[in-house]
Amino acid sequence: MSAETGTRDAGEDLLFSVAEGVATITLNRPERKNAFTFPMIEAWTAALQRCRTDAAIRVVVVTGAGSAFCSGGDIVEMGERLDQPPARRKEELHGRIQRIPLTLEDLDKPVIAALNGVATGAGLDLALMCDLRYAAQSARFAETYVRVGLVPGAGGAHFLPRLVGTAKALELFFTGDFVDADEALRIGLVNGVHADADLMPAVAALARKIAQAPPLTLSLIKRAVYQGMRNDLRTNLDLISSHYAVVTATPEHREAVQAFIGQRDRG
């Protein structure tokens, strides 16, 4: 990843840029349908860490270069590791690839996947980890692990059932079948579908809109929703009451309330 935002060095597999409060991470191996390598995963993790700590970044967009979002792990690279012992393979998965969902879990900022093309296997799972997903009309999706005798190691078995339900998730995992963008929208895999040429402008406009919201409010909304999926009602209500108390003391809340009162009085 280049130290200068928005630039690309020869052989760079991940691009990073920031504009108007929105960070864009672009997977950049179009000749391999953005299949990821370990160095690419490490650059991706570093980019997400920067997004977490940089207060100027309020929203993150992840997309792919060329005609694909991400085809998952690089099969050629996998072939080079076939003789590694199971303990080594487990450590590689946990210590490298699984750092992405764990880092995203710690990122209290909205993350949007702009699915510009095919997303398969771990590439689809990496999209599922994002908070919102928008697809190009030509995009297609599949959980292809079963085709190569693998299990969904990047987190798909956790995320997919929560989006589409257990039975549909198992169907997609068991068959490895593709679904098109319209079917992905119908089953809840994506939030919306756009014409190919309109995808990135639409996602950019949405990201800029979200970036205008108070950052602490966005953070606590995201935290409340994800924590809420693991807790009981009483715990969730207690947590949200604490969040509520915090945001009511922010300048953004005070200014918004005062502006509303001022408009009503003038009306």
Side-chain angles (χ1 to χ4, degrees), residues 139-155:
R140 299 168 69 238
F141 312 104
E143 291 286 9
T144 50
Y145 294 99
V146 71
R147 299 186 181 194
V148 288
L150 287 176
V151 296

PDB file of all heavy atoms in Angstrom, residues 139-155:
ATOM      1  N   ALA A 139     -22.976  -8.501 -11.501  1.00  0.00           N
ATOM      2  CA  ALA A 139     -22.249  -9.257 -10.475  1.00  0.00           C
ATOM      3  C   ALA A 139     -22.914 -10.605 -10.206  1.00  0.00           C
ATOM      4  O   ALA A 139     -24.133 -10.750 -10.308  1.00  0.00           O
ATOM      5  CB  ALA A 139     -22.164  -8.439  -9.188  1.00  0.00           C
ATOM      6  N   ARG A 140     -22.077 -11.584  -9.857  1.00  0.00           N
ATOM      7  CA  ARG A 140     -22.566 -12.920  -9.505  1.00  0.00           C
ATOM      8  C   ARG A 140     -21.817 -13.384  -8.266  1.00  0.00           C
ATOM      9  O   ARG A 140     -20.657 -13.026  -8.055  1.00  0.00           O
ATOM     10  CB  ARG A 140     -22.355 -13.894 -10.670  1.00  0.00           C
ATOM     11  CG  ARG A 140     -23.091 -13.496 -11.934  1.00  0.00           C
ATOM     12  CD  ARG A 140     -22.637 -14.305 -13.140  1.00  0.00           C
ATOM     13  NE  ARG A 140     -23.043 -15.695 -13.052  1.00  0.00           N
ATOM     14  CZ  ARG A 140     -22.214 -16.736 -13.077  1.00  0.00           C
ATOM     15  NH1 ARG A 140     -20.907 -16.545 -13.158  1.00  0.00           N
ATOM     16  NH2 ARG A 140     -22.673 -17.969 -13.009  1.00  0.00           N
ATOM     17  N   PHE A 141     -22.491 -14.244  -7.476  1.00  0.00           N
ATOM     18  CA  PHE A 141     -21.938 -14.625  -6.183  1.00  0.00           C
ATOM     19  C   PHE A 141     -22.072 -16.130  -5.961  1.00  0.00           C
ATOM     20  O   PHE A 141     -23.084 -16.727  -6.330  1.00  0.00           O
ATOM     21  CB  PHE A 141     -22.667 -13.882  -5.062  1.00  0.00           C
ATOM     22  CG  PHE A 141     -22.810 -12.404  -5.331  1.00  0.00           C
ATOM     23  CD1 PHE A 141     -24.028 -11.875  -5.736  1.00  0.00           C
ATOM     24  CD2 PHE A 141     -21.721 -11.558  -5.228  1.00  0.00           C
ATOM     25  CE1 PHE A 141     -24.166 -10.522  -6.006  1.00  0.00           C
ATOM     26  CE2 PHE A 141     -21.850 -10.203  -5.502  1.00  0.00           C
ATOM     27  CZ  PHE A 141     -23.071  -9.684  -5.891  1.00  0.00           C
ATOM     28  N   ALA A 142     -21.055 -16.701  -5.321  1.00  0.00           N
ATOM     29  CA  ALA A 142     -21.121 -18.131  -5.006  1.00  0.00           C
ATOM     30  C   ALA A 142     -20.175 -18.456  -3.855  1.00  0.00           C
ATOM     31  O   ALA A 142     -19.080 -17.892  -3.755  1.00  0.00           O
ATOM     32  CB  ALA A 142     -20.749 -18.974  -6.227  1.00  0.00           C
ATOM     33  N   GLU A 143     -20.633 -19.364  -3.002  1.00  0.00           N
ATOM     34  CA  GLU A 143     -19.782 -19.929  -1.950  1.00  0.00           C
ATOM     35  C   GLU A 143     -19.175 -21.213  -2.509  1.00  0.00           C
ATOM     36  O   GLU A 143     -19.749 -22.285  -2.407  1.00  0.00           O
ATOM     37  CB  GLU A 143     -20.622 -20.208  -0.694  1.00  0.00           C
ATOM     38  CG  GLU A 143     -21.108 -18.967   0.016  1.00  0.00           C
ATOM     39  CD  GLU A 143     -19.998 -18.253   0.786  1.00  0.00           C
ATOM     40  OE1 GLU A 143     -18.819 -18.624   0.623  1.00  0.00           O
ATOM     41  OE2 GLU A 143     -20.317 -17.329   1.552  1.00  0.00           O
ATOM     42  N   THR A 144     -18.011 -21.081  -3.116  1.00  0.00           N
ATOM     43  CA  THR A 144     -17.447 -22.144  -3.947  1.00  0.00           C
ATOM     44  C   THR A 144     -16.532 -23.109  -3.200  1.00  0.00           C
ATOM     45  O   THR A 144     -15.863 -23.934  -3.821  1.00  0.00           O
ATOM     46  CB  THR A 144     -16.656 -21.506  -5.104  1.00  0.00           C
ATOM     47  OG1 THR A 144     -15.758 -20.520  -4.572  1.00  0.00           O
ATOM     48  CG2 THR A 144     -17.590 -20.843  -6.102  1.00  0.00           C
ATOM     49  N   TYR A 145     -16.508 -23.046  -1.889  1.00  0.00           N
ATOM     50  CA  TYR A 145     -15.586 -23.896  -1.126  1.00  0.00           C
ATOM     51  C   TYR A 145     -15.762 -25.375  -1.445  1.00  0.00           C
ATOM     52  O   TYR A 145     -14.782 -26.117  -1.580  1.00  0.00           O
ATOM     53  CB  TYR A 145     -15.813 -23.681   0.373  1.00  0.00           C
ATOM     54  CG  TYR A 145     -15.464 -22.316   0.868  1.00  0.00           C
ATOM     55  CD1 TYR A 145     -16.455 -21.354   1.059  1.00  0.00           C
ATOM     56  CD2 TYR A 145     -14.154 -21.972   1.178  1.00  0.00           C
ATOM     57  CE1 TYR A 145     -16.145 -20.090   1.527  1.00  0.00           C
ATOM     58  CE2 TYR A 145     -13.834 -20.712   1.645  1.00  0.00           C
ATOM     59  CZ  TYR A 145     -14.833 -19.773   1.818  1.00  0.00           C
ATOM     60  OH  TYR A 145     -14.510 -18.525   2.280  1.00  0.00           O
ATOM     61  N   VAL A 146     -17.021 -25.825  -1.537  1.00  0.00           N
ATOM     62  CA  VAL A 146     -17.272 -27.246  -1.733  1.00  0.00           C
ATOM     63  C   VAL A 146     -16.666 -27.746  -3.045  1.00  0.00           C
ATOM     64  O   VAL A 146     -16.308 -28.926  -3.172  1.00  0.00           O
ATOM     65  CB  VAL A 146     -18.801 -27.531  -1.680  1.00  0.00           C
ATOM     66  CG1 VAL A 146     -19.500 -26.980  -2.914  1.00  0.00           C
ATOM     67  CG2 VAL A 146     -19.084 -29.008  -1.483  1.00  0.00           C
ATOM     68  N   ARG A 147     -16.503 -26.864  -4.010  1.00  0.00           N
ATOM     69  CA  ARG A 147     -15.953 -27.266  -5.311  1.00  0.00           C
ATOM     70  C   ARG A 147     -14.480 -27.638  -5.231  1.00  0.00           C
ATOM     71  O   ARG A 147     -13.975 -28.352  -6.110  1.00  0.00           O
ATOM     72  CB  ARG A 147     -16.128 -26.134  -6.332  1.00  0.00           C
ATOM     73  CG  ARG A 147     -17.573 -25.746  -6.586  1.00  0.00           C
ATOM     74  CD  ARG A 147     -17.663 -24.731  -7.706  1.00  0.00           C
ATOM     75  NE  ARG A 147     -19.035 -24.313  -7.964  1.00  0.00           N
ATOM     76  CZ  ARG A 147     -19.420 -23.650  -9.041  1.00  0.00           C
ATOM     77  NH1 ARG A 147     -18.514 -23.340  -9.974  1.00  0.00           N
ATOM     78  NH2 ARG A 147     -20.680 -23.298  -9.201  1.00  0.00           N
ATOM     79  N   VAL A 148     -13.791 -27.139  -4.219  1.00  0.00           N
ATOM     80  CA  VAL A 148     -12.367 -27.458  -4.071  1.00  0.00           C
ATOM     81  C   VAL A 148     -12.105 -28.167  -2.742  1.00  0.00           C
ATOM     82  O   VAL A 148     -10.983 -28.196  -2.245  1.00  0.00           O
ATOM     83  CB  VAL A 148     -11.484 -26.188  -4.172  1.00  0.00           C
ATOM     84  CG1 VAL A 148     -11.448 -25.678  -5.602  1.00  0.00           C
ATOM     85  CG2 VAL A 148     -11.975 -25.095  -3.230  1.00  0.00           C
ATOM     86  N   GLY A 149     -13.158 -28.770  -2.156  1.00  0.00           N
ATOM     87  CA  GLY A 149     -12.991 -29.562  -0.954  1.00  0.00           C
ATOM     88  C   GLY A 149     -12.588 -28.772   0.274  1.00  0.00           C
ATOM     89  O   GLY A 149     -11.867 -29.276   1.136  1.00  0.00           O
ATOM     90  N   LEU A 150     -13.083 -27.522   0.381  1.00  0.00           N
ATOM     91  CA  LEU A 150     -12.756 -26.677   1.527  1.00  0.00           C
ATOM     92  C   LEU A 150     -14.007 -26.332   2.321  1.00  0.00           C
ATOM     93  O   LEU A 150     -15.129 -26.529   1.859  1.00  0.00           O
ATOM     94  CB  LEU A 150     -12.084 -25.376   1.057  1.00  0.00           C
ATOM     95  CG  LEU A 150     -10.651 -25.472   0.552  1.00  0.00           C
ATOM     96  CD1 LEU A 150     -10.186 -24.117   0.030  1.00  0.00           C
ATOM     97  CD2 LEU A 150      -9.714 -25.963   1.665  1.00  0.00           C
ATOM     98  N   VAL A 151     -13.797 -25.813   3.515  1.00  0.00           N
ATOM     99  CA  VAL A 151     -14.877 -25.252   4.330  1.00  0.00           C
ATOM    100  C   VAL A 151     -14.725 -23.733   4.329  1.00  0.00           C
ATOM    101  O   VAL A 151     -13.644 -23.216   4.048  1.00  0.00           O
ATOM    102  CB  VAL A 151     -14.826 -25.796   5.776  1.00  0.00           C
ATOM    103  CG1 VAL A 151     -15.080 -27.292   5.788  1.00  0.00           C
ATOM    104  CG2 VAL A 151     -13.488 -25.470   6.439  1.00  0.00           C
ATOM    105  N   PRO A 152     -15.791 -22.985   4.626  1.00  0.00           N
ATOM    106  CA  PRO A 152     -15.724 -21.513   4.588  1.00  0.00           C
ATOM    107  C   PRO A 152     -14.895 -20.948   5.742  1.00  0.00           C
ATOM    108  O   PRO A 152     -15.411 -20.575   6.792  1.00  0.00           O
ATOM    109  CB  PRO A 152     -17.188 -21.088   4.669  1.00  0.00           C
ATOM    110  CG  PRO A 152     -17.888 -22.235   5.320  1.00  0.00           C
ATOM    111  CD  PRO A 152     -17.167 -23.458   4.884  1.00  0.00           C
ATOM    112  N   GLY A 153     -13.596 -20.848   5.521  1.00  0.00           N
ATOM    113  CA  GLY A 153     -12.673 -20.506   6.589  1.00  0.00           C
ATOM    114  C   GLY A 153     -12.527 -19.044   6.898  1.00  0.00           C
ATOM    115  O   GLY A 153     -11.935 -18.681   7.921  1.00  0.00           O
ATOM    116  N   ALA A 154     -13.056 -18.165   6.061  1.00  0.00           N
ATOM    117  CA  ALA A 154     -12.855 -16.730   6.274  1.00  0.00           C
ATOM    118  C   ALA A 154     -13.956 -16.088   7.119  1.00  0.00           C
ATOM    119  O   ALA A 154     -13.901 -14.904   7.393  1.00  0.00           O
ATOM    120  CB  ALA A 154     -12.767 -16.002   4.932  1.00  0.00           C
ATOM    121  N   GLY A 155     -14.950 -16.880   7.513  1.00  0.00           N
ATOM    122  CA  GLY A 155     -16.029 -16.331   8.323  1.00  0.00           C
ATOM    123  C   GLY A 155     -17.400 -16.449   7.692  1.00  0.00           C
ATOM    124  O   GLY A 155     -18.393 -16.017   8.278  1.00  0.00           O
TER     125      GLY A 155
END
